[in-house]
């Protein structure tokens, strides 16, 4: 059994989990892993295709399994998909781990992802749907997080620095 991830990043789509996660891994001299990427590799297709072909419920099952495997096996920086925290079992797995919630407001989401990309949960009226997703998820992100780091108007490097400081982690010189 491993000691678990050094850092787990949670937050909405477009909050920078992948970019910041890779930066944190580099600074900590640790491997980086993204559970969405794990699912894409295992399934041999994009997440949007899984949603369309098999439905959200099937995707959430794949996601729950991917997160459980990553938490058990990975000792570096781990980024979770935006909806991973919807599962109570996943939230229980994250208890006691160094989790940082990368938060942002809808204006920042629009600036970063345009809310017109191939995001399956934002297909119709993306601004409203993003707000509704955040209303449903914000308390869950906060529940699992040891630290909340706002990403609005910050570079990925600034966010990575803030995560390191918030979780009291040392970076490579």
């Amino acid at each position: 059994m491993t000691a678990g991830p050094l850092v787990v990043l949670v937050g909405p789509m477009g909050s920078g989990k992948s970019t910041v996660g890779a930066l944190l891994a580099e600074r900590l001299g640790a491997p980086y892993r993204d559970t969405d990427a794990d699912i894409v590799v295992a399934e041999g297709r994009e997440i949007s295709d899984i949603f369309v072909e098999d439905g959200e419920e099937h995707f959430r099952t794949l996601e729950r399994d991917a997160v459980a495997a990553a938490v058990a096996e990975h000792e570096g920086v781990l980024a979770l998909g935006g909806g991973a925290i919807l599962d109570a079992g996943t939230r229980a797995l994250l208890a006691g781990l160094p989790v940082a919630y990368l938060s942002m407001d809808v204006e920042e989401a629009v600036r970063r992802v345009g809310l017109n990309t191939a995001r399956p949960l934002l297909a119709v009226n993306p601004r409203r749907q993003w707000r509704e997703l955040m209303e449903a998820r914000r308390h869950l992100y906060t529940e699992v997080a040891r630290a909340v780091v706002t990403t609005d108007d910050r570079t990925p490097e600034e966010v990575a620095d803030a995560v390191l400081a918030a979780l009291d982690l040392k970076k490579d010189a």
Side-chain angles (χ1 to χ4, degrees):
M1 176 134 193
T2 65
L6 286 173
V7 180
V8 179
L9 298 176
V10 299
M13 59 193 86
S15 62
K17 297 181 300 286
S18 297
T19 303
V20 171
L23 279 171
L24 286 169
E26 182 181 314
R27 291 181 184 185
L28 293 168
Y32 170 71
R33 186 167 176 177
D34 180 318
T35 58
D36 278 353
D38 290 350
I39 294 168
V40 168
V41 169
E43 291 292 303
R45 56 193 170 143
E46 294 301 315
I47 289 171
S48 57
D49 294 333
I50 297 169
F51 265 80
V52 169
E53 295 165 15
D54 300 322
E56 183 177 359
E57 186 176 335
H58 178 71
F59 172 74
R60 296 298 173 201
T61 299
L62 296 173
E63 183 175 55
R64 180 177 55 248
D65 294 346
V67 171
V71 167
E73 302 164 1
H74 188 67
E75 293 184 330
V77 177
L78 179 62
L80 305 188
I85 47 76
L86 294 171
D87 182 73
T90 294
R91 293 193 307 275
L93 280 176
L94 297 176
L97 294 178
V99 177
Y101 161 31
L102 303 185
S103 72
M104 67 180 186
D105 64 22
V106 70
E107 289 75 22
E108 187 76 2
V110 168
R111 188 179 71 71
R112 290 190 189 173
V113 297
L115 296 185
N116 62 0
T117 58
R119 307 268 185 176
L121 293 179
L122 298 179
V124 179
N125 195 342
R127 264 183 204 264
R128 188 187 80 223
Q129 289 191 277
W130 193 89
R131 282 189 179 104
E132 289 173 1
L133 281 174
M134 284 309 299
E135 286 307 310
R137 295 176 179 181
R138 186 175 289 111
H139 72 283
L140 299 174
Y141 291 134
T142 304
E143 174 187 321
V144 300
R146 186 179 295 173
V148 177
V149 176
T150 302
T151 65
D152 298 342
D153 300 318
R154 283 180 155 170
T155 66
E157 293 77 10
E158 290 169 334
V159 174
D161 288 342
V163 169
L164 290 170
L167 295 176
D168 196 28
L169 296 170
K170 305 293 182 233
K171 62 182 177 180
D172 289 342

